[in-house]
């Protein structure tokens, strides 16, 4: 029979807990165990050190290969709960000007994870009074509050957690700042409830060390999200509703990726030239970052400037855009369609267009037939500024619908592009009689796995 070695957790008279190690060896006489001789040792400090090292290693390893902020904070919270706390929440803060914190402000609760499976709701939380949460931001130091079960003192709870603290019989809460680029970018709150021993200063120190171990990944994710927020604001500012054009219905849509935090360089534009014809453009700059969004805005505005008063074919205008793309986008790539609608005296609308490496325009007839306008396809913008570009002309039927779109509407990873195009063609044909706004909205609901941004602009022609 071998030795016996066991670590147990005991509750002391004062309500605290200690870890003890029981070790014993048997005394054998005549082949039988007649007694055990053992020791009883307090190993609380040793156990805490091993636990601390394990959690720090887990916090660093768990967040190492993640990109988005949501992934990083969720994984970190999964490490904190239940090993360190029963509930954990992460609050993303606005960017305060200088060191001043003006009340009220809104903190975004990114995630809440609880051992019970019923965490406080996520979402924006308004902070309109001085409380511990604000003190953590001002002092950049953690705060620990310990109290009777379900009786937190006023102002001690994270935003929106007061009722939750009472209902779960919370007994302690700790809040710690996350500092990025010299400013408090987030606050992490952790708590214990019920009969579990309360959080103590060593636990708060461990929480801070866990955040420090994951700091590089948290910082990168937060910087990335802020960059994407700026890019999205830029896109929303540029991609406004199209103008009113007599005789035409025009609708446009932009939707950020449903499966990614990234922001791309998709754009659309529509404006009316002095001669009354409508110009339509759609394009996509390669990349998913602020640089792509900025380049998108430059190319879009440059193209508008080149096309606003020129009567030359669209291909000739895109040829001049090649030079601008080379200067603005370097080795990057961009796709584009430039088109203008004309209605001569005969009353029949025609589309003059040039395609630069972009998915083809789609025409839907009022009878419910849909086909792609397979004009000459030119290389990507910026491929060769000395190369000539061709233009195509298509006659458009009365009450027909013209759709320009970016590849996010048809591309599915691992699937041939032809399948996505055919899905779009069939879906558009079935919506031929829908109002134009419904037509666009329903296309965004096609059964596909979107991994890219989607931009589209649709035009419905009048009857004869």
């Amino acid at each position: 029979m071998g030795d016996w070695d066991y670590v147990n957790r005991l509750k002391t008279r004062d309500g605290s807990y200690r870890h003890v190690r029981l070790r014993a060896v048997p005394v054998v006489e005549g082949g039988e165990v007649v007694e055990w001789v053992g020791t009883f040792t307090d190993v609380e400090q040793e156990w805490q050190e091993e636990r601390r090292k394990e959690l720090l290693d887990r916090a660093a390893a768990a967040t190492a290969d993640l990109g988005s902020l949501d992934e990083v904070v969720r994984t970190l919270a999964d490490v904190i709960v239940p090993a360190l706390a029963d509930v954990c929440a992460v609050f993303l803060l606005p960017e305060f000007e200088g060191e001043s914190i003006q009340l009220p402000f809104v903190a975004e609760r990114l995630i809440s994870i609880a051992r019970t499976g019923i965490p406080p709701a996520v979402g924006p939380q308004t902070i309109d009074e001085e409380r511990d949460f604000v003190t953590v931001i001002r002092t950049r130091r953690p705060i620990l509050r310990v109290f009777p079960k379900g009786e937190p003192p006023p102002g001690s709870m994270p935003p929106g957690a007061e009722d939750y603290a009472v209902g779960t019989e919370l007994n302690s809460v700790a809040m710690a700042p996350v500092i990025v680029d010299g400013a408090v970018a987030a606050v992490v709150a952790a708590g214990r409830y019920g009969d579990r021993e309360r959080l103590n200063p060593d636990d708060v120190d461990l929480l801070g060390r866990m955040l420090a171990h994951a700091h590089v990944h948290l910082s990168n994710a937060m910087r990335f999200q802020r960059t994407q927020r700026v890019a999205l604001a830029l896109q929303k500012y540029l991609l406004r509703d199209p103008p009113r054009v007599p005789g035409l219905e025009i609708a446009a849509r932009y939707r950020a990726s449903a499966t990614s935090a990234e922001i791309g360089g998709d754009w659309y534009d529509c404006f009316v030239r002095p001669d009354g014809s409508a110009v339509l453009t759609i394009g996509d700059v390669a990349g998913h970052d602020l640089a792509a969004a900025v380049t998108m805005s430059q190319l879009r505005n440059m193209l508008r400037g080149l096309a606003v008063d020129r009567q030359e074919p669209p291909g000739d205008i895109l040829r001049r855009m090649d030079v601008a793309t080379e200067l603005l986008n370097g080795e990057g790539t961009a796709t584009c369609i430039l088109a203008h609608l004309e209605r001569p005296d005969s009353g029949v609308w025609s589309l003059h267009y040039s395609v630069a490496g972009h998915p083809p325009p789609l025409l839907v007839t009022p009878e419910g037939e849909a086909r792609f306008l397979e004009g000459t396809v030119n290389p990507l913008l910026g491929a060769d500024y000395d190369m000539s570009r061709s233009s195509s002309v298509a006659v458009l039927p009365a009450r027909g619908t013209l759709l320009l779109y970016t590849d996010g509407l048809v591309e599915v990873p691992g699937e041939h592009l032809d399948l996505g195009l055919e899905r779009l063609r069939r879906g558009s044909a079935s919506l031929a009689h829908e109002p134009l706004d419904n037509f666009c909205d329903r296309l965004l609901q096609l059964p596909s796995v979107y991994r890219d941004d989607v931009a589209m602009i649709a035009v419905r022609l009048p009857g004869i």
Side-chain angles (χ1 to χ4, degrees):
M1 181 173 291
D3 297 348
W4 188 59
D5 190 337
Y6 184 72
V7 176
N8 196 17
R9 181 169 174 264
L10 300 179
K11 186 175 183 179
T12 65
R13 286 184 178 181
D14 64 4
S16 63
Y17 290 84
R18 308 288 296 183
H19 285 81
V20 296
R21 167 165 280 153
L22 305 176
R23 285 178 172 171
V25 295
V27 177
V28 181
E29 294 182 0
E32 294 184 0
V33 177
V34 296
E35 64 178 334
W36 287 82
V37 177
T39 60
F40 184 91
T41 309
D42 186 325
V43 293
E44 180 65 22
Q45 183 173 355
E46 177 185 341
W47 185 89
Q48 291 289 357
E49 287 300 324
E50 290 179 357
R51 170 175 173 263
R52 179 187 299 270
K53 183 178 184 303
E54 178 191 359
L55 290 181
L56 293 179
D57 290 344
R58 286 176 58 193
T63 58
D65 298 323
L66 302 177
S68 75
L69 182 58
D70 287 345
E71 290 176 324
V72 172
V73 297
R74 175 172 290 278
T75 303
L76 181 61
D78 282 337
V79 175
I80 294 173
V81 176
L84 181 65
D86 293 321
V87 60
C88 176
V90 180
F91 297 84
L92 187 65
L93 303 179
E95 296 186 50
F96 300 108
E97 294 186 6
E99 297 295 322
S100 62
I101 300 175
Q102 300 295 328
L103 299 177
F105 66 88
V106 175
E108 181 73 18
R109 187 195 294 261
L110 293 179
I111 190 171
S112 290
I113 290 182
R115 183 168 53 85
T116 61
I118 310 175
V122 298
Q125 306 287 330
T126 300
I127 294 86
D128 54 8
E129 61 181 353
E130 291 290 339
R131 55 199 303 172
D132 286 354
F133 188 86
V134 178
T135 302
V136 169
I137 302 171
R138 292 191 194 280
T139 63
R140 304 185 177 200
R141 297 178 64 84
I143 285 181
L144 170 64
R145 296 295 185 191
V146 176
F147 41 83
K149 292 188 297 185
E151 299 179 21
S156 63
M157 285 296 97
E162 292 81 0
D163 293 341
Y164 178 83
V166 175
T168 59
E169 296 189 330
L170 206 73
N171 62 37
S172 54
V173 64
M175 288 179 281
V178 177
I179 299 175
V180 177
D181 295 335
V184 180
V187 173
V188 176
R192 290 181 183 169
Y193 44 64
D195 293 326
R196 186 174 181 180
E197 62 182 301
R198 290 160 173 78
L199 290 166
N200 58 52
D202 287 340
D203 295 319
V204 177
D205 178 69
L206 179 54
L207 176 62
R209 290 176 180 270
M210 291 174 70
L211 296 178
H213 271 56
H215 182 265
V216 171
H217 311 297
L218 275 171
S219 299
N220 290 341
M222 287 180 182
R223 291 190 191 102
F224 181 77
Q225 184 170 49
R226 286 179 177 176
T227 298
Q228 303 314 321
R229 188 183 302 151
V230 172
L232 185 58
L234 174 63
Q235 285 179 314
K236 287 184 176 180
Y237 175 79
L238 290 172
L239 306 182
R240 298 183 176 182
D241 291 338
R244 294 182 179 275
V245 180
L248 299 176
E249 290 183 64
I250 305 177
R253 297 289 186 273
Y254 173 79
R255 189 186 69 178
S257 169
T259 59
S260 171
E262 298 178 341
I263 298 298
D266 295 35
W267 90 82
Y268 63 79
D269 196 10
C270 178
F271 55 91
V272 180
R273 297 197 300 196
D275 62 2
S277 61
V279 176
L280 307 171
T281 68
I282 197 154
D284 186 2
V285 174
H288 291 87
D289 51 23
L290 181 58
V294 170
T295 301
M296 172 272 291
S297 69
Q298 294 172 323
L299 293 179
R300 174 186 175 276
N301 292 337
M302 180 71 74
L303 186 54
R304 175 180 276 237
L306 291 175
V308 69
D309 60 352
R310 301 251 180 192
Q311 300 300 320
E312 57 192 320
D316 292 352
I317 296 175
L318 289 185
R319 182 175 179 274
R320 290 207 305 279
M321 275 296 296
D322 285 327
V323 178
T325 304
E326 178 70 20
L327 294 175
L328 295 174
N329 205 23
E331 297 181 355
T333 59
T335 66
C336 174
I337 295 178
L338 173 63
H340 63 263
L341 284 164
E342 293 184 355
R343 185 178 187 181
D345 295 337
S346 63
V348 177
W349 288 86
S350 61
L351 181 74
H352 299 251
Y353 65 100
S354 183
V355 179
H358 200 85
L362 178 65
L363 178 63
V364 183
T365 70
E367 293 78 28
E369 297 179 358
R371 62 182 178 89
F372 293 104
L373 301 181
E374 302 288 359
T376 303
V377 178
N378 301 286
L380 303 173
L381 284 178
D384 185 350
Y385 65 86
D386 276 336
M387 176 190 63
S388 62
R389 290 185 174 272
S390 61
S391 302
S392 302
V393 180
V395 176
L396 306 182
R399 300 186 306 280
T401 302
L402 174 71
L403 177 68
L404 306 183
Y405 54 94
T406 56
D407 57 11
L409 191 61
V410 292
E411 281 192 347
V412 175
E415 178 184 275
H416 196 282
L417 180 60
D418 288 349
L419 295 177
L421 291 170
E422 178 60 19
R423 182 168 49 243
L424 174 61
R425 190 194 66 79
R426 292 197 309 267
S428 299
S430 68
L431 300 171
H433 301 291
E434 289 284 332
L436 193 60
D437 283 331
N438 291 352
F439 176 88
C440 292
D441 292 336
R442 294 278 297 277
L443 288 181
L444 290 175
Q445 299 170 8
L446 286 175
S448 303
V449 181
Y450 296 103
R451 292 187 178 274
D452 202 357
D453 297 353
V454 177
M456 67 169 68
I457 187 164
V459 179
R460 181 155 294 165
L461 305 166
I464 297 177

